[in-house]
Amino acid sequence: GAGVSQSPSNKVTEKGKDVELRCDPISGHTALYWYRQSLGQGLEFLIYFQGNSAPDKSGLPSDRFSAERTGGSVSTLTIQRTQQEDSAVYLCASSKRRSSYEQYFGPGTRLTVT
Amino acid sequence: QQQVKQSPQSLIVQKGGIPIINCAYENTAFDYFPWYQQFPGKGPALLIAIRPDVSEKKEGRFTISFNKSAKQFSLHIMDSQPGDSATYFCAASSTGNQFYFGTGTSLTVIP
């Protein structure tokens, strides 16, 4: 079946602009995660959605970052007033259910802020 | 504060060798320890995972060794192949809500 998809694959934006990154999880997966991966670094947790529960936003680095998940499926990560330090690969993952713990990752969106 | 510490940062082995990547953690509440493989331009892919109630788990050529008392776990790749050249990440979670990742190990397997 189809895996996790993300769009766009690459995004170049000017400092100060807003960007939206999209994630389509695997159909039927109730959990969705966003991570940030900077060059040569591990994955940094950003936000977690589980079903209709309130999201765990504890990893969002600033109030310029927000995310929503519509209808328990597609998710959008929004970065307002982008800064050069926001340049990274943004990865989305989904999981079948909360108790599964097995995450399936999308290919990521490479964001470059100039 | 790095919740999961991974070493080495990079590793080069000959084909057929057994690379070993190590991770250490502090939070005893962690109850799930996965390993991911990532190729350039791709997202990480789950390789193998272990729960703390077992000391070893094997899947194909990949083995996790887990030492609960030392709070350490490691990945062994048997009979390594050039196609195994990738970046490997360990991770840990206690609730499935948040996952803490190591900083990654770049593995090169020389033919």
Side-chain angles (χ1 to χ4, degrees):
Chain A
V4 177
S5 61
Q6 292 187 244
S7 60
S9 56
N10 283 283
K11 176 72 176 178
V12 180
T13 190
E14 293 179 352
K15 177 182 173 181
K17 300 281 189 181
D18 298 352
V19 294
E20 286 188 351
L21 312 179
R22 177 187 169 104
C23 172
D24 283 88
I26 294 172
S27 178
H29 281 199
T30 60
L32 187 146
Y33 308 76
W34 281 99
Y35 294 90
R36 179 168 67 178
Q37 185 174 28
S38 301
L39 187 63
Q41 299 297 312
L43 280 69
E44 175 190 5
F45 167 80
L46 296 177
I47 189 169
Y48 162 71
F49 296 89
Q50 170 58 46
N52 295 320
S53 303
D56 178 348
K57 304 180 181 180
S58 59
L60 294 178
S62 77
D63 59 7
R64 296 186 296 105
F65 289 74
S66 63
E68 64 177 17
R69 189 177 184 193
T70 55
S73 181
V74 171
S75 177
T76 302
L77 177 68
T78 301
I79 308 174
Q80 295 178 312
R81 304 181 303 281
T82 52
Q83 303 295 312
Q84 288 187 329
E85 60 263 29
D86 299 334
S87 296
V89 175
Y90 290 82
L91 290 160
C92 173
S94 69
S95 178
K96 190 178 300 184
R97 59 185 183 276
R98 189 179 185 280
S99 61
S100 169
Y101 287 27
E102 292 184 7
Q103 296 181 87
Y104 296 85
F105 282 84
T109 293
R110 180 174 297 279
L111 175 66
T112 304
V113 182
T114 62
Chain B
Q1 181 184 1
Q2 192 73 26
Q3 293 269 357
V4 178
K5 296 182 180 179
Q6 183 173 346
S7 64
Q9 186 175 8
S10 62
L11 192 52
I12 301 173
V13 299
Q14 296 279 351
K15 176 183 173 182
I18 306 176
I20 301 173
I21 305 169
N22 301 298
C23 285
Y25 65 97
E26 287 297 325
N27 188 346
T28 55
F30 289 148
D31 64 355
Y32 178 72
F33 303 88
W35 284 90
Y36 292 86
Q37 179 188 58
Q38 185 177 31
F39 293 104
K42 304 291 186 183
L46 179 65
L47 262 181
I48 185 172
I50 198 168
R51 299 271 185 175
D53 53 345
V54 298
S55 61
E56 186 176 275
K57 183 175 181 180
K58 293 183 180 181
E59 286 189 6
R61 296 184 294 108
F62 300 95
T63 298
I64 298 179
S65 297
F66 186 82
N67 186 329
K68 188 173 181 178
S69 60
K71 292 184 285 187
Q72 295 176 349
F73 58 109
S74 60
L75 176 71
H76 302 229
I77 306 176
M78 307 302 176
D79 186 28
S80 58
Q81 302 296 313
D84 296 331
S85 297
T87 300
Y88 293 81
F89 292 95
C90 62
S93 179
S94 62
T95 62
N97 289 10
Q98 286 199 31
F99 284 74
Y100 298 92
F101 283 78
T103 50
T105 295
S106 176
L107 171 66
T108 302
V109 181
I110 300 171

